[in-house]
Amino acid sequence: MRTTDNRKKDKMSVQNLNLAYGDYPALKNISLDIGENEVLSLIGPSGCGKSTFIRVLNRMNDLIEECHITGTVLLDDEDIYADNDATTLR
């Protein structure tokens, strides 16, 4: 979370995010703050986790049984995985 007074408040904050498909770790210890109206680019080679990370932010992995997520994803300081309906959240 940003603390500098001259910056905008974070719209999203990802802290210590880990995602595994069964025993395969796909994302490891991701932390990122995204400010309101910021533009974010994810650049990397095929298979490095770009789409998986976006799926986490959109809660698109909810129906994948072997998908295990730990860490915190906040939208407007509210945990998107804490008893929120995914459809309403989107």
Side-chain angles (χ1 to χ4, degrees):
M1 184 75 92
R2 298 176 196 196
T3 57
T4 309
D5 290 337
N6 63 350
R7 291 194 179 188
K8 293 180 181 180
K9 184 177 180 339
D10 292 329
K11 185 68 174 176
M12 288 194 94
S13 181
V14 178
Q15 300 302 318
N16 304 313
L17 176 72
N18 294 284
L19 181 140
Y21 294 112
D23 292 331
Y24 177 75
L27 299 175
K28 300 177 193 172
N29 200 29
I30 306 294
S31 293
L32 174 70
D33 293 325
I34 305 168
E36 190 168 4
N37 297 322
E38 274 188 1
V39 175
L40 176 67
S41 296
L42 298 176
I43 302 170
S46 177
C48 73
K50 301 177 303 288
S51 296
T52 299
F53 180 66
I54 292 171
R55 289 175 60 87
V56 168
L57 299 181
N58 290 313
R59 289 196 47 188
M60 299 299 290
N61 291 313
D62 289 6
L63 300 176
I64 301 173
E65 256 183 61
E66 66 272 3
C67 182
H68 304 285
I69 299 172
T70 61
T72 307
V73 180
L74 302 176
L75 174 64
D76 293 328
D77 296 324
E78 185 177 337
D79 189 345
I80 68 170
Y81 284 94
D83 297 326
N84 287 317
D85 176 59
T87 304
T88 304
L89 181 67
R90 285 185 204 117

